[in-house]
Every structure is written in structure tokens, then in C-alpha cells.
């Protein structure tokens, strides 16, 4: 099986989002800062995750991303497959043409491994990953209050008289 950074980063970012579920939309910049994942890479991943119905995007000030599905129903396999990460240990991609257009001697071994890996990743939910992090004592910070452009206190400006002395 070849699990690249694409799948790992997608799962990490979704766990980060899951830990903050219910506190409003989370920006990719916040996830990028906490998880040390490139912002442009997260933008690519979240585009795919949004198209696959894993996350919803909220536009405008105070916008960001939130989960589109229940954490108990979302599996690690769903996340990895949503970012087009193949879960395949066979050399031929399951086409059985590994060696000179025929099935190689170990094809069935790797195909069985694929099946077991998919079964395992499909059994691990986002809810379990979030619960595991919280049980380990991870402290999730409160979302900072949104800054408003309109002040609640009046701005007092000095009066300028434009007259000769």
C-alpha cells in the first residue's frame, strides 16, 4: 500500500476540523498554522473534500470550512478516497497484469492486504479519532472572538480649525 502525504495530510486536517466541530467555520490558515501543512496544499485537498461531500465551505468574513457529515459516519477510508489517494499495494493496480501481462506470483497476497487495509480504514471513524485525542488530554483552544469593523465605542477625533492664526 502506498499512502502518501496527500492522504495523511487530509486525515490530519479533518481530525483538526473535527476537534473544533460546533465552534463555527474554521479557516484553512488556522489548520495550516496548527498542523504545519502548506496553505496552498490544504486548499487543493479541501477542494476535493468539498466536492466529495466531506466538508462544506462558508464564504465571507468569518467563513471557512465545517464538516458536512456526522463524525460517527465519516471513516478514514472516506477521507483518503476523497482526495484520490489509491489504497492499493499491488504493482498492477488490481488489473492482474503485473508480470508480462499476467498475474504475478504474489498478486493475491497484495490484493488480500489491500482488502484488509481498506476494511481497517473503513472501521475507524472520525469520531473515534477525535475522542482518542481528547482522551489523551489534547486541549482545544477556544476560537478567538471575531474582530468587527464597526467599533462599539465612538471614535473621538480632534476638531481641526482651518483658519489663519
Amino acid at each position: 500500500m502506498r499512502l502518501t502525504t496527500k492522504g495523511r495530510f487530509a486525515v490530519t486536517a479533518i481530525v483538526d476540523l473535527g476537534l473544533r466541530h460546533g465552534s463555527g467555520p474554521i479557516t484553512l490558515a488556522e489548520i495550516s498554522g496548527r498542523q504545519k501543512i502548506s496553505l496552498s496544499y490544504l486548499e487543493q485537498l479541501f477542494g476535493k473534500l468539498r466536492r466529495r461531500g466531506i466538508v462544506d465551505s462558508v464564504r465571507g468574513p468569518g467563513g471557512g470550512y465545517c464538516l458536512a457529515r456526522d463524525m460517527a459516519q465519516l471513516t478514514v477510508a472516506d477521507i483518503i478516497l476523497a482526495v484520490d489517494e489509491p489504497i492499493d499495494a499491488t504493482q498492477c493496480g488490481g488489473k492482474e497484469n503485473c508480470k508480462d501481462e499476467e498475474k504475478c506470483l504474489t498478486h493475491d497476497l497484495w490484493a488480500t492486504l489491500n482488502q484488509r487495509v481498506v476494511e481497517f480504514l473503513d472501521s475507524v471513524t472520525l469520531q473515534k479519532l477525535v475522542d482518542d485525542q481528547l482522551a489523551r488530554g489534547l486541549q482545544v483552544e477556544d476560537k478567538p472572538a471575531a474582530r468587527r469593523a464597526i467599533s462599539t465605542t465612538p471614535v473621538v477625533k480632534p476638531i481641526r480649525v482651518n483658519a489663519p492664526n
Side-chain angles (χ1 to χ4, degrees), residues 29-63:
E30 293 171 318
I31 296 172
S32 174
R34 282 190 296 267
Q35 303 306 324
K36 308 296 185 239
I37 302 172
S38 158
L39 181 59
S40 61
Y41 201 67
L42 282 175
E43 288 169 349
Q44 293 173 28
L45 293 176
F46 272 71
K48 292 178 179 188
L49 292 165
R50 186 183 51 75
R51 285 189 291 277
R52 292 290 182 97
I54 305 288
V55 296
D56 283 328
S57 61
V58 178
R59 294 179 154 214

Side-chain angles (χ1 to χ4, degrees), residues 9 13 21-22 26 30 36 46 53 60 71-72 82-83 86-87 94-95 100-101 109 111 117 122 129 133 144 151 162:
F9 284 173
H21 183 65
I26 306 298
E30 293 171 318
K36 308 296 185 239
F46 272 71
M71 289 196 292
V83 293
I87 303 174
K95 297 176 186 161
D100 301 326
E101 299 302 314
L109 169 69
V117 168
D122 209 28
L129 295 176
Q133 290 302 314
S151 175
N162 203 7

Side-chain angles (χ1 to χ4, degrees), residues 72-92:
Q73 303 301 316
L74 183 59
T75 68
V76 173
D78 294 333
I79 298 165
I80 292 171
L81 294 172
V83 293
D84 301 327
E85 185 72 19
I87 303 174
D88 188 7
T90 62
Q91 183 179 0
C92 62

Side-chain angles (χ1 to χ4, degrees), residues 55-126:
V55 296
D56 283 328
S57 61
V58 178
R59 294 179 154 214
Y65 287 88
C66 48
L67 293 172
R69 291 167 45 186
D70 181 38
M71 289 196 292
Q73 303 301 316
L74 183 59
T75 68
V76 173
D78 294 333
I79 298 165
I80 292 171
L81 294 172
V83 293
D84 301 327
E85 185 72 19
I87 303 174
D88 188 7
T90 62
Q91 183 179 0
C92 62
K95 297 176 186 161
E96 298 186 5
N97 61 352
C98 323
K99 185 178 179 214
D100 301 326
E101 299 302 314
E102 292 182 16
K103 186 163 75 168
C104 69
L105 296 175
T106 56
H107 179 85
D108 292 334
L109 169 69
W110 305 126
T112 302
L113 175 62
N114 289 345
Q115 180 184 358
R116 299 263 171 90
V117 168
V118 170
E119 287 171 1
F120 171 72
L121 294 177
D122 209 28
S123 73
V124 179
T125 65
L126 177 58

